[in-house]
Amino acid sequence: MAAPIRRIGVLTSGGDAPGLNAVIRAVVRSAEVDLGWAVFGIEHGFEGLIGRPRIRPLDSSAVSGLLPQGGTILGSTNKGHFSAMRVDGEWVRDPAPYKELAANTKRLGIDALVVIGGEGSQGIAAELARYGVRAVGVPKTIDNDLWGCDQTFGFDTALTVATEALDRLHTTAASHDRVMVLEVMGRDAGWIALHSGLGGGADVILIPEIPFTIEAVASAVTTREFRGSNFSIVVCAEGAVERGGGQLYQEATGTLGGVGAYVAGQVGKVTGKDARVVVLGHLQRGGQPTPFDRILATRFGAAAVRVLAEGQYGVVVVSRGLEIGTIPMQECAGKVRTVPLDYEMIRTARGIGIGFGDEEDEALLTPEPLA
Ligand code: F6P
């Protein structure tokens, strides 16, 4: 039988998301109040357990006031020693940091880890099981694209920020008869663009799942013009791709992005309209979580501790409808939940005249004389 749990570690790994601190708070309070366990915060993700360990005890007073706080009090590391590397077409991991982490965890008397992270971090946690480290995962990504999880915390906050940005762009676009392109996050999946596009009344939504053409986007703009609206709003996921093309990267930083500027430039040229771009970037990830995200984060943190108390490891807690369930870590590691092409929200958007920059719009948006 596995040794009983008395001390657990909690860490945040990968890019931050509003609600991380709310998860940490829930983990600490559930473990301490409910079970009498000691909790240690591990700093800067898995990195905090290699070299000289950077850990600190966390009790209820240490997490007081954390619920509405953005960021993570523990810090995070995006690409560290634990990432898989591609060698000759194969994904490989250096075993040395894994062994070191396992040894340190044992030496510190940490019986299990709560790993708050995205699919990459859950892959690391799954691999750690091979070195005898017990872990439970809490999914984290503002992109809402974790496999097997209906909604991740941070998404609602990002969506709120993006929707407010679209509201603000409407008034300035209308005042100047402009095309305004808003580039939002969404590396592989267009959840933020799709939901904010519907919530913020965009005219065109561009997502990685539906390759676009400049002609179709321009056609949406000119059709609106023909029907009497002299401005248009386009929301574009940073990972959106032109048909036959690939994702764009910024020259200055080498990071994903730039598709918004490309769309604005090209659509401006084709339509002759003044077109501008706004890149929302990390504003979507910073600051206070919405009430929805605070609640979801709290439920995830509490569920992770419950799962450990039941003696389960190697699973990730996930939201499924109104419930919180679990899936094996291996199942969500390295996998992305993209927007299904037959998703009702896409149909609804098309049904109310929102374009996706594809053939369906090209067919739909041919201007017809008004009666
Ligand atoms: O969390 C995922 C994400 O928000 C992506 O949409 C985006 O490309 C990425 O993080 C940016 O990460 P970083 O802060 O490391 O540039």
Side-chain angles (χ1 to χ4, degrees):
M1 215 179 99
I5 292 180
R6 290 195 192 87
R7 292 151 69 98
I8 61 171
V10 58
L11 62 87
T12 51
S13 172
D16 68 344
L20 283 172
N21 282 327
V23 181
I24 296 168
R25 171 180 174 270
V27 166
V28 170
R29 288 174 68 145
S30 314
E32 186 187 274
V33 178
D34 225 15
L35 301 157
W37 295 350
V39 182
F40 291 85
I42 295 150
E43 293 171 4
H44 296 289
F46 297 102
E47 302 294 311
L49 282 173
I50 56 172
R52 192 169 56 80
R54 283 158 292 161
I55 70 167
R56 56 176 128 137
L58 293 176
D59 59 12
S60 287
S61 65
V63 297
S64 166
L66 279 193
L67 186 60
Q69 231 181 76
T72 161
I73 57 159
L74 296 175
S76 190
T77 301
N78 221 344
K79 297 249 180 287
H81 292 88
F82 295 84
S83 304
M85 293 161 293
R86 213 160 170 84
V87 178
D88 298 332
E90 293 284 314
W91 287 104
V92 292
R93 293 176 194 268
D94 176 6
Y98 287 84
K99 285 183 186 159
E100 194 176 339
L101 183 147
N104 271 333
T105 308
K106 200 166 171 199
R107 192 168 55 77
L108 293 163
I110 293 176
D111 302 311
L113 294 177
V114 174
V115 173
I116 314 170
E119 41 88 16
S121 307
Q122 301 309 334
I124 295 171
E127 179 74 7
L128 279 170
R130 296 179 47 190
Y131 298 84
V133 179
R134 302 187 287 192
V136 161
V138 171
K140 170 249 45 152
T141 161
I142 66 158
D143 291 357
N144 202 30
D145 60 358
L146 199 112
W147 181 262
C149 185
D150 286 353
Q151 187 154 344
T152 50
F153 66 85
F155 172 65
D156 186 64
T157 307
L159 170 60
T160 303
V161 173
T163 304
E164 190 196 336
L166 288 171
D167 288 347
R168 288 178 182 275
L169 290 178
H170 263 92
T171 58
T172 177
S175 303
H176 292 275
D177 291 347
R178 278 178 175 154
V179 177
M180 282 294 202
V181 181
L182 178 70
E183 182 179 303
V184 297
M185 281 188 170
R187 176 171 284 273
D188 304 301
W191 296 104
I192 298 176
L194 176 61
H195 284 235
S196 66
L198 256 187
D203 305 301
V204 179
I205 299 172
L206 304 179
I207 59 176
E209 294 84 349
I210 305 178
F212 66 87
T213 66
I214 291 297
E215 293 69 35
V217 181
S219 165
V221 170
T222 48
T223 302
R224 275 178 56 77
E225 192 104 340
F226 186 78
R227 295 191 173 144
S229 296
N230 293 329
F231 72 93
S232 287
I233 305 287
V234 179
V235 59
C236 168
E238 62 185 353
V241 286
E242 190 174 14
R243 195 188 297 161
Q247 290 187 325
L248 299 183
Y249 284 79
Q250 321 240 31
E251 228 177 87
T253 55
T255 51
L256 183 66
V259 63
Y262 172 75
V263 169
Q266 294 301 310
V267 169
K269 261 190 214 151
V270 174
T271 61
K273 289 191 69 69
D274 198 3
R276 301 297 171 89
V277 62
V278 173
V279 179
L280 208 45
H282 292 78
L283 288 174
Q284 294 157 96
R285 278 191 2 204
Q288 293 201 332
T290 58
F292 182 93
D293 280 339
R294 296 177 201 189
I295 295 165
L296 186 59
T298 300
R299 294 171 70 204
F300 277 170
V305 172
R306 275 200 305 273
V307 163
L308 280 177
E310 287 161 9
Q312 279 194 70
Y313 314 103
V315 295
V316 179
V317 299
V318 290
S319 68
R320 251 191 242 117
L322 294 177
E323 302 298 327
I324 304 289
T326 56
I327 57 168
M329 249 167 203
Q330 286 291 8
E331 209 174 287
C332 71
K335 267 207 252 162
V336 169
R337 186 178 71 101
T338 53
V339 177
L341 294 180
D342 60 355
Y343 184 33
E344 167 276 329
M345 219 182 259
I346 293 184
R347 210 168 347 118
T348 297
R350 288 198 200 272
I352 62 167
I354 298 175
F356 284 85
D358 62 351
E359 305 90 340
E360 282 201 40
D361 306 341
E362 283 164 17
L364 271 177
L365 296 171
T366 311
E368 286 162 20
L370 297 178

mmCIF file of all heavy atoms in Angstrom, residues 15-16 78 140-143 145 184-188 192 238 255-256 282 285, ligand 1:
data_model
loop_
_atom_site.group_PDB
_atom_site.id
_atom_site.type_symbol
_atom_site.label_atom_id
_atom_site.label_comp_id
_atom_site.label_asym_id
_atom_site.label_seq_id
_atom_site.Cartn_x
_atom_site.Cartn_y
_atom_site.Cartn_z
ATOM 1 N N GLY A 15 2.826 29.153 -18.891
ATOM 2 C CA GLY A 15 2.347 30.536 -18.898
ATOM 3 C C GLY A 15 1.300 30.749 -17.817
ATOM 4 O O GLY A 15 0.568 29.819 -17.471
ATOM 5 N N ASP A 16 1.230 31.946 -17.263
ATOM 6 C CA ASP A 16 0.276 32.162 -16.169
ATOM 7 C C ASP A 16 -1.156 32.294 -16.709
ATOM 8 O O ASP A 16 -1.366 32.418 -17.914
ATOM 9 C CB ASP A 16 0.675 33.364 -15.303
ATOM 10 C CG ASP A 16 0.555 34.684 -16.038
ATOM 11 O OD1 ASP A 16 0.458 34.670 -17.281
ATOM 12 O OD2 ASP A 16 0.557 35.739 -15.382
ATOM 13 N N ASN A 78 8.295 28.562 -18.070
ATOM 14 C CA ASN A 78 7.634 28.094 -19.289
ATOM 15 C C ASN A 78 8.398 26.955 -19.956
ATOM 16 O O ASN A 78 7.883 25.868 -20.118
ATOM 17 C CB ASN A 78 7.462 29.272 -20.251
ATOM 18 C CG ASN A 78 6.122 29.239 -20.925
ATOM 19 O OD1 ASN A 78 5.450 28.214 -20.903
ATOM 20 N ND2 ASN A 78 5.726 30.338 -21.522
ATOM 21 N N LYS A 140 -4.594 24.177 -16.733
ATOM 22 C CA LYS A 140 -4.473 25.637 -16.765
ATOM 23 C C LYS A 140 -4.153 26.099 -18.173
ATOM 24 O O LYS A 140 -3.193 25.625 -18.770
ATOM 25 C CB LYS A 140 -3.366 26.060 -15.797
ATOM 26 C CG LYS A 140 -2.941 27.467 -15.858
ATOM 27 C CD LYS A 140 -1.521 27.678 -16.403
ATOM 28 C CE LYS A 140 -1.126 26.920 -17.604
ATOM 29 N NZ LYS A 140 -0.138 27.478 -18.479
ATOM 30 N N THR A 141 -4.990 26.894 -18.749
ATOM 31 C CA THR A 141 -4.652 27.624 -19.974
ATOM 32 C C THR A 141 -5.772 28.605 -20.281
ATOM 33 O O THR A 141 -6.948 28.233 -20.223
ATOM 34 C CB THR A 141 -4.443 26.704 -21.210
ATOM 35 O OG1 THR A 141 -4.568 27.501 -22.392
ATOM 36 C CG2 THR A 141 -5.461 25.584 -21.298
ATOM 37 N N ILE A 142 -5.402 29.835 -20.590
ATOM 38 C CA ILE A 142 -6.458 30.791 -20.969
ATOM 39 C C ILE A 142 -7.033 30.424 -22.334
ATOM 40 O O ILE A 142 -8.123 30.839 -22.674
ATOM 41 C CB ILE A 142 -5.970 32.260 -20.997
ATOM 42 C CG1 ILE A 142 -4.936 32.492 -22.105
ATOM 43 C CG2 ILE A 142 -5.442 32.695 -19.656
ATOM 44 C CD1 ILE A 142 -4.846 33.958 -22.501
ATOM 45 N N ASP A 143 -6.271 29.630 -23.103
ATOM 46 C CA ASP A 143 -6.731 29.276 -24.453
ATOM 47 C C ASP A 143 -7.906 28.288 -24.430
ATOM 48 O O ASP A 143 -8.540 28.067 -25.457
ATOM 49 C CB ASP A 143 -5.583 28.657 -25.259
ATOM 50 C CG ASP A 143 -4.504 29.670 -25.603
ATOM 51 O OD1 ASP A 143 -4.678 30.853 -25.273
ATOM 52 O OD2 ASP A 143 -3.492 29.274 -26.211
ATOM 53 N N ASP A 145 -7.934 25.112 -24.243
ATOM 54 C CA ASP A 145 -7.780 24.032 -25.218
ATOM 55 C C ASP A 145 -7.203 22.753 -24.606
ATOM 56 O O ASP A 145 -6.568 21.973 -25.297
ATOM 57 C CB ASP A 145 -6.913 24.508 -26.397
ATOM 58 C CG ASP A 145 -5.514 24.938 -25.962
ATOM 59 O OD1 ASP A 145 -5.223 24.912 -24.753
ATOM 60 O OD2 ASP A 145 -4.714 25.298 -26.842
ATOM 61 N N VAL A 184 -6.205 38.269 -30.816
ATOM 62 C CA VAL A 184 -6.303 37.732 -29.455
ATOM 63 C C VAL A 184 -5.456 36.469 -29.346
ATOM 64 O O VAL A 184 -4.994 35.936 -30.349
ATOM 65 C CB VAL A 184 -7.784 37.427 -29.069
ATOM 66 C CG1 VAL A 184 -8.607 38.694 -29.063
ATOM 67 C CG2 VAL A 184 -8.401 36.371 -29.977
ATOM 68 N N MET A 185 -5.269 35.961 -28.118
ATOM 69 C CA MET A 185 -4.477 34.744 -27.946
ATOM 70 C C MET A 185 -5.260 33.531 -28.468
ATOM 71 O O MET A 185 -6.474 33.599 -28.665
ATOM 72 C CB MET A 185 -4.053 34.579 -26.499
ATOM 73 C CG MET A 185 -2.868 35.467 -26.166
ATOM 74 S SD MET A 185 -2.184 35.132 -24.541
ATOM 75 C CE MET A 185 -0.668 36.100 -24.612
ATOM 76 N N GLY A 186 -4.575 32.454 -28.608
ATOM 77 C CA GLY A 186 -5.172 31.241 -29.178
ATOM 78 C C GLY A 186 -4.186 30.664 -30.162
ATOM 79 O O GLY A 186 -4.250 30.934 -31.349
ATOM 80 N N ARG A 187 -3.220 29.934 -29.624
ATOM 81 C CA ARG A 187 -2.124 29.396 -30.433
ATOM 82 C C ARG A 187 -2.619 28.327 -31.411
ATOM 83 O O ARG A 187 -2.352 28.392 -32.606
ATOM 84 C CB ARG A 187 -1.084 28.796 -29.476
ATOM 85 C CG ARG A 187 0.075 28.098 -30.081
ATOM 86 C CD ARG A 187 1.088 27.781 -29.016
ATOM 87 N NE ARG A 187 1.804 28.982 -28.652
ATOM 88 C CZ ARG A 187 2.900 29.434 -29.275
ATOM 89 N NH1 ARG A 187 3.408 28.748 -30.281
ATOM 90 N NH2 ARG A 187 3.496 30.534 -28.896
ATOM 91 N N ASP A 188 -3.333 27.358 -30.868
ATOM 92 C CA ASP A 188 -3.790 26.235 -31.702
ATOM 93 C C ASP A 188 -5.301 26.155 -31.798
ATOM 94 O O ASP A 188 -5.832 25.376 -32.590
ATOM 95 C CB ASP A 188 -3.286 24.904 -31.109
ATOM 96 C CG ASP A 188 -1.785 24.904 -30.966
ATOM 97 O OD1 ASP A 188 -1.100 25.079 -31.985
ATOM 98 O OD2 ASP A 188 -1.299 24.747 -29.827
ATOM 99 N N ILE A 192 -11.025 31.710 -27.712
ATOM 100 C CA ILE A 192 -11.146 33.113 -27.270
ATOM 101 C C ILE A 192 -11.708 33.962 -28.416
ATOM 102 O O ILE A 192 -12.618 34.771 -28.214
ATOM 103 C CB ILE A 192 -9.787 33.690 -26.794
ATOM 104 C CG1 ILE A 192 -9.260 32.913 -25.593
ATOM 105 C CG2 ILE A 192 -9.916 35.178 -26.438
ATOM 106 C CD1 ILE A 192 -7.872 33.354 -25.111
ATOM 107 N N GLU A 238 -4.332 34.567 -32.696
ATOM 108 C CA GLU A 238 -2.926 34.720 -33.111
ATOM 109 C C GLU A 238 -2.439 33.523 -33.933
ATOM 110 O O GLU A 238 -1.497 33.624 -34.704
ATOM 111 C CB GLU A 238 -2.032 34.883 -31.881
ATOM 112 C CG GLU A 238 -2.087 33.650 -30.997
ATOM 113 C CD GLU A 238 -1.325 33.750 -29.704
ATOM 114 O OE1 GLU A 238 -0.617 34.726 -29.486
ATOM 115 O OE2 GLU A 238 -1.461 32.807 -28.896
ATOM 116 N N THR A 255 8.225 35.358 -31.508
ATOM 117 C CA THR A 255 7.045 34.714 -30.907
ATOM 118 C C THR A 255 5.872 34.736 -31.892
ATOM 119 O O THR A 255 5.832 35.559 -32.825
ATOM 120 C CB THR A 255 6.630 35.417 -29.601
ATOM 121 O OG1 THR A 255 6.519 36.812 -29.858
ATOM 122 C CG2 THR A 255 7.646 35.198 -28.496
ATOM 123 N N LEU A 256 4.926 33.831 -31.631
ATOM 124 C CA LEU A 256 3.753 33.725 -32.496
ATOM 125 C C LEU A 256 2.999 35.055 -32.519
ATOM 126 O O LEU A 256 2.814 35.691 -31.479
ATOM 127 C CB LEU A 256 2.836 32.621 -31.942
ATOM 128 C CG LEU A 256 1.578 32.301 -32.752
ATOM 129 C CD1 LEU A 256 1.914 31.707 -34.112
ATOM 130 C CD2 LEU A 256 0.680 31.339 -31.974
ATOM 131 N N HIS A 282 -0.781 39.998 -23.676
ATOM 132 C CA HIS A 282 -0.798 39.513 -22.289
ATOM 133 C C HIS A 282 -1.797 40.242 -21.403
ATOM 134 O O HIS A 282 -1.983 39.843 -20.247
ATOM 135 C CB HIS A 282 0.612 39.562 -21.703
ATOM 136 C CG HIS A 282 1.520 38.561 -22.376
ATOM 137 N ND1 HIS A 282 2.079 38.786 -23.604
ATOM 138 C CD2 HIS A 282 1.911 37.324 -21.994
ATOM 139 C CE1 HIS A 282 2.807 37.722 -23.953
ATOM 140 N NE2 HIS A 282 2.719 36.827 -22.993
ATOM 141 N N ARG A 285 -4.058 37.852 -20.011
ATOM 142 C CA ARG A 285 -3.608 36.912 -18.973
ATOM 143 C C ARG A 285 -3.380 37.575 -17.635
ATOM 144 O O ARG A 285 -3.337 36.902 -16.605
ATOM 145 C CB ARG A 285 -2.297 36.253 -19.420
ATOM 146 C CG ARG A 285 -2.547 35.137 -20.338
ATOM 147 C CD ARG A 285 -1.414 34.221 -20.669
ATOM 148 N NE ARG A 285 -0.120 34.376 -20.092
ATOM 149 C CZ ARG A 285 0.990 33.920 -20.658
ATOM 150 N NH1 ARG A 285 0.927 33.307 -21.835
ATOM 151 N NH2 ARG A 285 2.141 34.041 -20.086
HETATM 152 O O1 F6P B 1 -1.306 30.148 -22.533
HETATM 153 C C1 F6P B 1 -1.196 29.987 -23.913
HETATM 154 C C2 F6P B 1 -0.830 31.286 -24.525
HETATM 155 O O2 F6P B 1 -1.656 32.220 -23.951
HETATM 156 C C3 F6P B 1 -0.886 31.318 -26.042
HETATM 157 O O3 F6P B 1 -2.110 31.704 -26.576
HETATM 158 C C4 F6P B 1 0.205 32.272 -26.372
HETATM 159 O O4 F6P B 1 0.724 32.031 -27.651
HETATM 160 C C5 F6P B 1 1.202 31.983 -25.325
HETATM 161 O O5 F6P B 1 0.504 31.613 -24.190
HETATM 162 C C6 F6P B 1 2.135 33.124 -25.048
HETATM 163 O O6 F6P B 1 3.043 32.689 -24.109
HETATM 164 P P1 F6P B 1 4.311 33.528 -23.640
HETATM 165 O O7 F6P B 1 3.855 34.383 -22.540
HETATM 166 O O8 F6P B 1 5.276 32.512 -23.207
HETATM 167 O O9 F6P B 1 4.764 34.323 -24.826
#
